[in-house]
Amino acid sequence: MRWMPAFVTLSAIWGASFALIKIAVEAGVGPLWVAFWRCFFGALALLAVCALRREPLPRDRAVWGHALVVAALLNAVPFALLAYGETLVSSVLAGVWNATTPLTTLVFVLLMVPQERPTARRLLGLLVGFAGALVVLAGGPGAGGGPAIGSLACLAATACYGAGFAYTRRFYSGREGSAAALSAVQIVCATAELAVVTPFAGGGPSWPGLPAAAALVLLGAVGTGLAYILNLRVIRSAGSTIASTVTYVTPLWSTLLGTLLLAEPLGWNTVAGGVLVVAGVLLSRTGGAAARLTTAR
């Protein structure tokens, strides 16, 4: 099991992203700027990897066209939504909501990929996962520290991920180019999209202080840049099905870091609901597209 150290490291990196977002937004960095810097530093890291490996970026216009859609669905929009959500709810709760990503992915795969068909087990998994979401919300508005709109923003982000993974499988993942090059194109497109919107909708940038700046650099360069390469290593060593199970582990890291480092509250409903969400994911992942799609944070 040579892939295990890389798998654990990847889960920790993506699990820590929620705490890093929280540090940035609490320092006054706007959600759109969090998303922009995350993509900007991620793009720099991925372009550096491509340069070191001498892997050229694809020149096909179709690749870049599809990359613009993938970037919006998997990066620009959900990154901004998660950052906004964490201005209202804890990083612990955001991490739990993120665990619903495989369920939203399954919904969009069933809708967008013709060869995929619903099964009784998959539908049961969706119902169990939905029940888990209701349990989390049972604690009242915010269910973990904040208005319900914060939770809705995090859930909207996972819906974007679900649509993005389905679109990626159908239109993007099979395109010519290495995984690092395609990832670099995707994150460059996300950075460009946010660069157009952020100065107008998010106001001007400001220096948030060294801790928040360091959090943004780590969030982008490591969590959105190098993590893509680490994810590819796990896929090549253990297969995409095992790699995709990182979704089950990241909430453990986000909960641990949120409660220990940020002193965030952890309610019974968050724990119980999170367990049901993961159970629903396990039930729904019976092979097929949903099991082959991997996560990206």
Side-chain angles (χ1 to χ4, degrees):
M1 301 214 306
R2 292 189 218 171
W3 52 269
M4 184 60 75
F7 179 89
V8 173
T9 302
L10 183 63
S11 70
I13 289 172
W14 278 340
S17 66
F18 301 98
L20 295 174
I21 292 171
K22 193 68 174 178
I23 291 171
V25 297
E26 287 193 339
V29 183
L32 282 171
W33 281 109
V34 171
F36 171 78
W37 292 120
R38 183 176 183 178
C39 291
F40 176 78
F41 290 119
L44 290 182
L46 286 167
L47 289 172
V49 168
C50 290
L52 289 172
R53 292 182 174 182
R54 297 182 179 179
E55 296 176 353
L57 299 184
R59 296 185 178 181
D60 186 356
R61 290 184 180 180
V63 171
W64 285 86
H66 287 302
L68 286 170
V69 178
V70 173
L73 291 173
L74 288 183
N75 304 109
V77 175
F79 286 0
L81 285 170
L82 278 174
Y84 172 73
E86 288 202 45
T87 65
L88 301 170
V89 302
S90 67
S91 68
V92 171
L93 187 57
V96 170
W97 287 133
N98 193 71
T100 65
T101 297
L103 299 177
T104 59
T105 300
L106 175 58
V107 170
F108 282 100
V109 165
L110 293 176
L111 292 174
M112 295 177 61
V113 182
Q115 60 266 39
E116 291 296 326
R117 294 290 182 267
T119 64
R121 183 165 179 170
R122 283 181 170 180
L123 293 176
L124 177 61
L126 288 174
L127 289 174
V128 171
F130 180 69
L134 293 179
V135 170
V136 173
L137 290 172
I149 189 67
S151 289
L152 291 176
C154 293
L155 282 171
T158 67
C160 288
Y161 285 140
F165 286 132
Y167 187 95
T168 298
R169 185 190 177 215
R170 185 167 183 179
F171 299 109
Y172 191 65
S173 61
R175 298 284 171 173
E176 184 178 352
S178 68
L182 288 175
S183 296
V185 169
Q186 174 184 330
I187 303 302
V188 166
C189 287
T191 304
E193 289 168 347
L194 287 164
V196 172
V197 174
T198 302
F200 301 99
S206 60
W207 175 249
L210 187 57
L216 289 171
V217 172
L218 286 173
L219 181 65
V222 179
T224 311
L226 298 181
Y228 276 71
I229 309 302
L230 198 59
N231 185 48
L232 176 61
R233 185 178 301 174
V234 176
I235 292 172
R236 287 175 172 172
S237 300
S240 59
T241 299
I242 289 178
S244 66
T245 60
V246 71
T247 305
Y248 315 150
V249 187
T250 52
L252 301 179
W253 288 105
S254 65
T255 300
L256 180 66
L257 294 172
T259 54
L260 294 182
L261 298 183
L262 302 179
E264 293 179 336
L266 181 62
W268 68 267
N269 55 298
T270 301
V271 176
V275 170
L276 282 174
V277 166
V278 172
V281 171
L282 288 170
L283 278 172
S284 67
R285 297 175 80 82
T286 56
R292 289 191 295 271
L293 290 168
T294 54
T295 56
R297 300 287 171 272

